[in-house]
Amino acid sequence: MAVKTKTSTRIGVTILGWGIAVWLFFPIFWMFLTSFKNEIQAISTPPKLFFMPTLSSYAEVFERASYWHFTLNTVIVSVGATAIAIALAVPAAYSMAFLPSSRTRSTLLWMLSTRMLPPVGVLVPIYLLARNTHLLDTCTGLAIVDMLTNLPIIVWMLYTFFREVPAPILEAGRMDGASRWQEMTMVLLPLALPGIASTALLSLILCWNEAFWSLNLTSSHAAPLTAFIASFSSPEGLFFGKLSAASTLAVAPILVFGWISQKQLVRGLTFGAVK
Amino acid sequence: MATVELKNLRKTYLTEEIIKGISLSIEDREFVVFVGPSGCGKSTLLRMIAGLEDITSGDLLIDGQRVNDVEPGKRGLAMVFQSYALYPHMDVYKNMEFGLKLAGMPEAERREKIEHVARTLQLEPYLHHKPGQLSGGQRQRVAIGRAIVRNPKVFLFDEPLSNLDAALRGQMRVELSALHRKLGATTIYVTHDQVEAMTMADKIVVLQKGVVEQIGSPLELYHHPRNLFVARFIGSPPMNFFPAIFQGGDTTGSAVQLRDGSTLYVPVTSPGLLPGTKVTVGIRPEHVELAASGPNSGVVEVIERLGAITLVHVRMPDGQIIVVQMDGAVLTDVDTRVSLTLPPGNCHLFAPDGVAFEACHRHPLAA
Ligand SMILES: Nc1ncnc2c1ncn2[C@@H]1O[C@H](COP(=O)(O)OP(=O)(O)OP(=O)(O)O)[C@@H](O)[C@H]1O
Ligand SMILES: [Mg+2]
């Protein structure tokens, strides 16, 4: 009886899980599908599930905008922002996790609370700051802003991962003569590597998809993929085929990268679990 | 090789004082054990010596040098943690090599040292295993090996055996003692295990609530506890206590009257004590004798037969339980009425504030 209940709950949970997954994935699936339709098929009612696929939307997208230019900007900005953020967050999270003070908790909460502010609230000051420092429409400028917006989450995540590392292991390192720097790089980082990798992946995804600041702080030179998508929702009217093709092109690299590294991450996590 | 001196060491966390002014001299080659109830500050004191905790005030001297502000790795100490704290991502060899590498020792020398230590600790077959692949006892050996290879001036141990099972703990205890004799390094060892403290220590430091209650050799603490706390803490099963009234005394002893009216003449001096004062008589279970009749009678409530010895729990008329340790073959039964004989020479006397009166004669083994 008890076992039966358990099985039925498990089936219920499985169905629910799949339901949510399908619900979340459907827009992406539809976008992918639409990108292979011509513009007529794309807006036909009722929507067509089966049709003759065509690459015409892709061809036009490539003709109208330089995809590689946008991709390169996105890669530079995401990787740069992530690298700087991790470099700054590791020492911060280290000191919070292993040398906590009575204010550590409130500092963490305060840092997270900055994420709750709508970005538009600081649009004007940030815009003026970027303009006056000549960072408008530069990858550097966008990377700095992306880095700063993600820093609280990254510090918070690293803090939770570092807290999992038993303090005596680091203390043993210190007794063995390691400096704070060596303790961090030779003992802590190898142990927390899976956590750091998943944090970096999250940061990459957040930067890759960041649209608000990209659209407001860049125009052409440093415009990333989100601006590339936006350029296809033009005032001439929506062309869903081309818009879908552009969106698919924009999200495909990070999706594929996430997929591959996820497998690596799982492997890394089990590798690290020695103790 | 190395002496350690603590001068009025204090530690305050936020507003709470955890270590309240501890002074202590540790001689070269000495094996010192810190004991005390949980939370008394043993680990904190050890970590202050190690450099893992800041010293709020007072001086810490190693070989006469003040090291309060010296980095842990530069104090010439090695520490073995309760949780082993091995580097999980390095194999046994690398675990031992880490400190030597940081110290800049050449590769060949490192290899020679590690192999030598591995041989001593029977770790040779495991040199290329990760800690996760080792048993608890093997991990503990690696942790000890990691400390030994660095050839430290002082070894620090924080309850190193408490994660091991009883048999292994006994074996490691003997091994550690032998190792100490062989290496002759100054050692500070924290434990709450009586047996470890009594068997391994040259000198035991009994701590309570951040203060030293007594410092002395194991037998000194056993035969001449300075106060009720130490008397209760050292010895297993713990000492029995009887309330008594002081009647008078001179240089050869003090007379006290027990609850049942019998008097006892204990060979301790009690200068300045007024007759009529309430005092406490203490006697260890192994020193109480059972008689069929006489003063101090009670009823046997529980008998614990441990093979070689038997513990007889006697309920006294005032409700108190007195434990008597007899040899294994004793023929007492539950519910029989017995009488307790307290040989005066083995009795201790404590003033109302818990301080023990000076014995007229020191025990020959605790001079
Ligand atoms: N980081 C800290 N912040 C505040 N109080 C602390 C801290 N570390 C220890 N304490 C307090 O200091 C006291 C002594 O702790 P310590 O760990 O030294 O005890 P211990 O004698 O080693 O006990 P045990 O036998 O349980 O290991 C405890 O009351 C503990 O609550
Ligand atoms: Mg402790």
Side-chain angles (χ1 to χ4, degrees):
Chain A
M1 187 64 200
V3 175
K4 223 175 179 179
T5 326
K6 255 191 186 162
T7 323
S8 68
T9 336
R10 231 181 48 209
I11 291 174
V13 168
T14 311
I15 290 175
L16 187 71
W18 275 100
I20 293 175
V22 167
W23 188 58
L24 286 177
F25 185 68
F26 184 74
I28 295 174
F29 168 73
W30 197 253
M31 172 188 87
F32 185 69
L33 215 59
T34 309
S35 71
F36 290 102
K37 296 176 178 175
N38 60 39
E39 292 299 346
I40 313 279
Q41 291 165 334
I43 51 167
S44 73
T45 30
K48 281 202 174 77
L49 199 52
F50 300 100
F51 56 92
M52 195 53 200
T54 165
L55 286 173
S56 65
S57 294
Y58 284 94
E60 269 190 68
V61 164
F62 273 109
E63 207 169 291
R64 249 179 63 180
S66 117
Y67 172 69
W68 297 112
H69 170 70
F70 290 99
T71 310
L72 187 64
N73 282 340
T74 292
V75 169
I76 291 173
V77 169
S78 323
V79 172
T82 299
I84 300 170
I86 294 279
L88 291 178
V90 164
Y94 167 87
S95 77
M96 286 179 175
F98 297 108
L99 307 161
S101 77
S102 51
R103 289 197 200 83
T104 298
R105 202 81 221 151
S106 42
T107 310
L108 273 167
L109 281 173
W110 167 76
M111 281 177 42
L112 209 63
S113 75
T114 60
R115 287 284 304 191
M116 296 167 194
L117 195 72
V120 73
V122 288
L123 174 58
V124 174
I126 299 250
Y127 183 87
L128 292 179
L129 277 173
R131 195 191 62 189
N132 294 350
T133 47
H134 306 291
L135 289 173
L136 271 187
D137 202 18
T138 61
C139 287
T140 319
L142 188 56
I144 290 175
V145 173
D146 278 2
M147 184 271 285
L148 287 174
T149 40
N150 291 333
L151 200 53
I153 294 183
I154 294 177
V155 171
W156 188 287
M157 276 183 75
L158 288 183
Y159 169 79
T160 8
F161 284 120
F162 287 180
R163 285 280 298 262
E164 307 262 300
V165 175
I169 296 180
L170 300 191
E171 289 169 351
R174 223 173 303 156
M175 293 301 297
D176 263 346
S179 63
R180 290 273 179 200
W181 175 250
Q182 288 168 323
E183 183 187 323
M184 218 178 337
T185 53
M186 299 166 90
V187 184
L188 177 62
L189 290 193
L191 292 178
L193 203 56
I196 295 172
S198 13
T199 310
L201 178 63
L202 179 80
S203 164
L204 271 179
I205 293 173
L206 287 175
C207 293
W208 194 281
N209 296 335
E210 199 287 318
F212 180 78
W213 294 113
S214 324
L215 295 180
N216 284 300
L217 296 181
T218 65
S219 51
S220 57
H221 176 253
L225 282 169
T226 38
F228 169 76
I229 300 178
S231 71
F232 284 93
S233 63
S234 46
E236 324 142 28
L238 285 178
F239 292 95
F240 278 110
K242 284 189 273 299
L243 185 59
S244 301
S247 303
T248 306
L249 282 172
V251 298
I254 195 73
L255 269 182
V256 171
F257 180 73
W259 182 272
I260 295 168
S261 50
Q262 187 195 24
K263 287 187 177 162
Q264 294 297 116
L265 280 184
V266 171
R267 213 167 62 114
L269 283 169
T270 40
F271 261 155
V274 183
K275 231 187 125 105
Chain B
M1 231 166 39
T3 62
V4 181
E5 196 164 353
L6 283 58
K7 286 186 178 165
N8 200 19
L9 280 195
R10 286 171 191 276
K11 171 80 192 174
T12 308
Y13 280 123
L14 301 179
T15 55
E16 201 184 347
E17 194 165 55
I18 304 291
I19 299 293
K20 299 166 185 161
I22 290 185
S23 299
L24 173 69
S25 269
I26 299 170
E27 311 283 316
D28 185 24
R29 296 170 172 261
E30 203 166 29
F31 197 115
V32 174
V33 173
F34 293 171
V35 292
S38 190
C40 68
K42 308 180 290 286
S43 299
T44 306
L45 187 58
L46 192 75
R47 292 166 55 83
M48 285 161 77
I49 297 171
L52 296 173
E53 299 280 355
D54 289 333
I55 294 169
T56 308
S57 76
D59 294 319
L60 173 66
L61 281 68
I62 296 177
D63 274 341
Q65 299 277 328
R66 186 175 183 275
V67 294
N68 285 41
D69 304 313
V70 177
E71 286 287 301
K74 303 223 157 63
R75 294 187 184 188
L77 315 171
M79 181 152 170
V80 177
F81 295 81
Q82 178 176 355
S83 58
Y84 318 131
L86 300 176
Y87 310 121
H89 56 299
M90 303 182 196
D91 64 18
V92 171
Y93 185 90
K94 293 219 171 76
N95 260 280
M96 297 205 263
E97 190 185 32
F98 188 68
L100 304 181
K101 222 170 169 176
L102 289 180
M105 185 184 283
E107 155 104 56
E109 202 177 329
R110 293 201 300 256
R111 175 166 298 278
E112 191 186 326
K113 281 206 142 195
I114 293 168
E115 278 169 0
H116 177 73
V117 169
R119 218 171 304 129
T120 317
L121 292 170
Q122 294 133 45
L123 282 172
E124 279 172 308
Y126 312 106
L127 275 178
H128 297 290
H129 286 40
K130 290 265 178 73
Q133 298 165 287
L134 302 177
S135 73
Q138 289 163 343
R139 283 182 218 184
Q140 192 51 276
R141 277 211 182 77
V142 177
I144 293 167
R146 185 174 64 178
I148 294 175
V149 279
R150 297 190 48 225
N151 199 14
K153 292 195 232 172
V154 183
F155 282 103
L156 307 176
F157 291 90
D158 192 354
E159 309 207 18
L161 307 185
S162 57
N163 281 353
L164 304 179
D165 66 51
L168 202 51
R169 205 179 313 152
Q171 183 192 334
M172 287 299 288
R173 198 173 67 218
V174 175
E175 277 183 39
L176 275 179
S177 287
L179 205 60
H180 175 247
R181 226 172 303 121
K182 191 165 141 198
L183 300 173
T186 311
T187 302
I188 307 176
Y189 189 105
V190 166
T191 182
H192 57 241
D193 184 316
Q194 288 255 346
V195 184
E196 278 172 35
M198 295 298 283
T199 54
M200 299 167 90
D202 295 316
K203 185 151 95 189
I204 296 181
V205 179
V206 183
L207 295 170
Q208 188 198 200
K209 293 186 185 149
V211 297
V212 171
E213 291 289 347
Q214 190 171 1
I215 301 176
S217 72
L219 290 182
E220 207 174 326
L221 300 194
Y222 178 84
H223 290 293
H224 301 290
R226 211 170 64 190
N227 54 35
L228 274 175
F229 178 80
V230 178
R232 210 175 273 135
F233 196 78
I234 299 288
S236 169
M239 192 183 274
N240 298 299
F241 298 101
F242 297 86
I245 308 287
F246 179 70
Q247 291 185 314
D250 52 30
T251 53
T252 61
S254 309
V256 295
Q257 184 175 39
L258 297 177
R259 276 264 170 89
D260 72 335
S262 62
T263 54
L264 207 59
Y265 191 72
V266 185
V268 300
T269 57
S270 48
L273 197 67
L274 293 176
T277 312
K278 284 184 181 155
V279 293
T280 306
V281 173
I283 184 161
R284 298 195 181 278
E286 51 271 41
H287 296 140
V288 185
E289 286 160 19
L290 282 190
S293 64
N296 285 313
S297 66
V299 177
V300 176
E301 193 158 284
V302 176
I303 297 181
E304 294 181 286
R305 294 193 181 275
L306 303 178
I309 59 166
T310 301
L311 299 179
V312 182
H313 297 242
V314 180
R315 188 173 289 279
M316 303 306 286
D318 60 1
Q320 193 191 356
I321 295 271
I322 299 296
V323 179
V324 183
Q325 179 179 322
M326 312 288 292
D327 67 11
V330 72
L331 292 171
T332 320
D333 246 329
V334 203
D335 287 338
T336 48
R337 181 159 275 279
V338 292
S339 171
L340 309 181
T341 311
L342 315 178
N346 287 321
C347 287
H348 304 260
L349 206 58
F350 302 93
D353 62 359
V355 176
F357 292 114
E358 194 81 30
C360 294
H361 311 285
R362 299 287 289 180
H363 191 279
L365 287 175

